[in-house]
Amino acid sequence: MTGVGSSDWPRIEAALDPREAAYARATGFTPKAGRIALLPGPDGTLARVLFGLGAANPARERLLAGTLAGALPPGTYRLEGTGFDGTEAALAWLLGGYRFTRYRAAVPAGEAVPAGEAVPAGPALPRLVAPAGVDAEAVSRIAAAVALGRDLVNTPANDLGPAEIEAAARALAERHGAAVTVVSGDDLARDFPLVHAVGAASPRAPRLIDLTWGDAAAPRVTLVGKGVAFDTGGLDIKPSAGMLLMKKDVGGAAAALAAAAMVMGAHLPVRLRVLIPAVENSVSGAAFRPGDVLRSRAGLTVEIGNTDAEGRLILADALALADAEAPDLLIDFATLTGAARVALGPDLPAFFTEDDALAEAVAAAGRTAFDPVWRLPLHAPYAGLLDSKIADLNNAPGGPFAGAITAALFLRRFAPATRAHVHFDLYGWNPSTKPGRPEGGEVQTARLVYALLAQRYPAGT
């Protein structure tokens, strides 16, 4: 398989066998990004694949090779040409080969293979020989972690409630020798009252999942993931169109677990903690109400302006737990606000931090991992929009403005001691298929966080 950039095509065309060149011309191949030409050999079998890479420019889609896993016939392929970055291409191939098959014939996502052997996209899909110098095991490990998170987001809520989120965390912990504790029932009501209140209306009990891994003396990194298995909106119930994709409200927890899988799989020298408040925001006589005033783990009281702003409530209790330990780095992931999507669209998660140096590192890691994000400001004067006349703050102040910023400011109230705190406001879903990103659940920022941590805490140090 030969990658063909716009400037390379005359040279590559001239080097082709005359029959191959004639066939490429006859079928109208051009090196436009994503174009594919299957060139037959003398016996009619597939002899060569030409893959258009387009013009060399900074805006080129770096996961472009992800289109190949679903477009080529079964077989084993090797990359040729200077247009490919081997690691990017191998990862894109695996990410693009992901299929959610729980309710259909099984087509598993990528598996780890030794360097130099074929990187598979699934048994019915083509296989890619790992390019020279590529750590196929590491690439496959990242792709498998992404597949784990995507599976969680794609699983419908009838098969994924708080108990199943816990089971996924326990299974991951068992694979990597991590420990898991879970707080539920009366203990949850006492110690994590906001998590308990949000989940109380569902027959599927809420819980706080706490995974720890690594040397207790190593730098402390804590990941917090919003684990709402399904969000009806509560008594401020969503319209049917707004509820249709709410299985993806587990996207924050899925991203946290995917990032944790990458960190543990690479044996990064950190003391990792993953906190997941897992709930279903449902409707019943036990539901919390608009106008209720709830006390949080941190002691702050919260007036409920809207029961559909439940994610920040459960994160608040988890962040208070994380903050008490003063981690070196605190990162939370949440499918939190529609305002962030209006501002940046579905492909570009917003992030917030008070630490300018950390913000630069996050943005750089996003570029390195081709997992892009965009910083929005924690504009302090907007904190007044969270004021309540009867409580310490309101979870959903009225008005149409700055929804993503006020949500981030709300969360900062519950982790005041940790300056090195990053909040990601995700969409967690690919509305349509793009290279390396099939339509459906996505664990945005998980690869970014792994790249950030691998740079800060290299394996083997």
Side-chain angles (χ1 to χ4, degrees):
M1 181 165 50
T2 304
V4 184
S6 297
S7 61
D8 300 327
W9 177 226
R11 172 181 57 79
I12 292 173
E13 183 182 21
L16 292 174
D17 178 278
R19 287 169 297 187
E20 293 178 342
Y23 189 88
R25 288 192 295 270
T27 56
F29 174 77
T30 66
K32 181 179 178 181
R35 290 290 297 272
I36 296 173
L38 306 180
L39 306 183
D43 59 356
T45 61
L46 180 60
R48 184 188 299 270
V49 176
L50 302 178
F51 182 56
L53 300 176
N57 62 70
R60 176 187 284 179
E61 169 60 68
R62 292 175 62 188
L63 295 177
L64 188 63
T67 62
L68 292 165
L72 295 176
T76 299
Y77 297 81
R78 296 178 183 274
L79 299 179
E80 297 177 352
T82 59
F84 287 113
D85 176 284
T87 298
E88 287 182 10
L91 178 60
W93 183 284
L94 288 180
L95 295 179
Y98 169 84
R99 300 292 183 271
F100 180 65
T101 60
R102 177 167 178 170
Y103 304 99
R104 304 181 68 178
V107 183
E111 61 194 73
V113 295
E117 295 189 12
V119 178
L125 296 172
R127 295 169 63 88
L128 175 68
V129 174
V134 171
D135 186 341
E137 183 178 356
V139 170
S140 295
R141 192 170 58 238
I142 292 171
V146 171
L148 164 68
R150 287 174 172 175
D151 282 350
L152 289 172
V153 181
N154 284 324
T155 300
N158 61 305
D159 283 330
L160 188 78
E164 288 76 24
I165 298 172
E166 176 188 335
R170 288 191 181 278
L172 179 64
E174 184 176 356
R175 286 199 295 275
H176 295 283
V180 174
T181 60
V182 175
V183 182
S184 59
D186 292 342
D187 291 339
L188 188 76
R190 181 189 67 242
D191 297 334
F192 301 92
L194 294 179
V195 179
H196 178 266
V198 171
S202 173
R204 302 195 286 184
R207 62 207 67 201
L208 189 286
I209 303 162
D210 189 346
L211 179 153
T212 54
W213 173 88
D215 185 346
R220 295 174 179 268
V221 175
T222 299
L223 311 180
V224 179
K226 173 188 169 186
V228 177
F230 192 82
D231 181 19
T232 66
L235 293 178
D236 287 310
I237 195 165
K238 295 176 183 287
S240 58
M243 209 183 300
L244 187 61
L245 273 182
M246 280 301 100
K247 68 179 183 179
K248 80 174 184 65
D249 224 14
V250 75
L257 289 174
M262 297 177 205
V263 168
M264 293 188 290
H267 304 286
L268 297 188
V270 298
R271 190 272 196 183
L272 179 68
R273 190 178 196 185
V274 181
L275 299 173
I276 297 175
V279 303
E280 179 178 36
N281 188 23
S282 193
V283 178
S284 76
F288 71 119
R289 296 163 287 264
D292 282 357
V293 176
L294 305 177
R295 188 169 296 277
S296 69
R297 177 181 177 85
L300 295 170
T301 55
V302 182
E303 181 184 8
I304 303 304
N306 193 306
T307 63
D308 196 20
E310 85 299 332
R312 67 199 67 182
L313 297 175
I314 64 173
L315 287 172
D317 272 355
L319 287 170
L321 175 63
D323 193 55
E325 168 175 89
D328 297 278
L329 181 60
L330 172 59
I331 299 173
D332 76 75
F333 309 79
T335 49
L336 206 62
T337 70
R341 309 289 74 74
V342 171
L344 299 175
D347 298 344
L348 194 60
F351 80 97
F352 301 80
T353 182
E354 294 171 329
D355 187 326
D356 291 340
L358 178 57
E360 292 178 6
V362 168
R367 292 189 293 270
T368 297
F370 24 100
D371 197 2
V373 290
W374 196 265
R375 188 186 188 187
L376 293 183
L378 279 164
H379 186 55
Y382 286 167
L385 297 174
L386 296 168
D387 288 347
S388 165
K389 294 180 180 179
I390 62 172
D392 292 318
L393 65 169
N394 191 301
N395 80 317
F401 301 123
I405 296 173
T406 55
L409 288 167
F410 180 93
L411 296 179
R412 281 298 298 143
R413 293 288 297 274
F414 296 88
T418 307
R419 177 173 171 79
H421 172 203
V422 180
H423 160 57
F424 288 113
D425 191 333
L426 318 172
Y427 189 54
W429 191 263
N430 296 317
S432 60
T433 296
K434 297 183 176 70
R437 290 153 290 178
E439 180 178 348
E442 189 57 270
V443 286
Q444 292 170 315
T445 73
R447 291 185 291 108
L448 178 162
V449 167
Y450 172 62
L452 174 70
L453 296 178
Q455 193 277 328
R456 286 194 163 200
Y457 313 109
T461 60

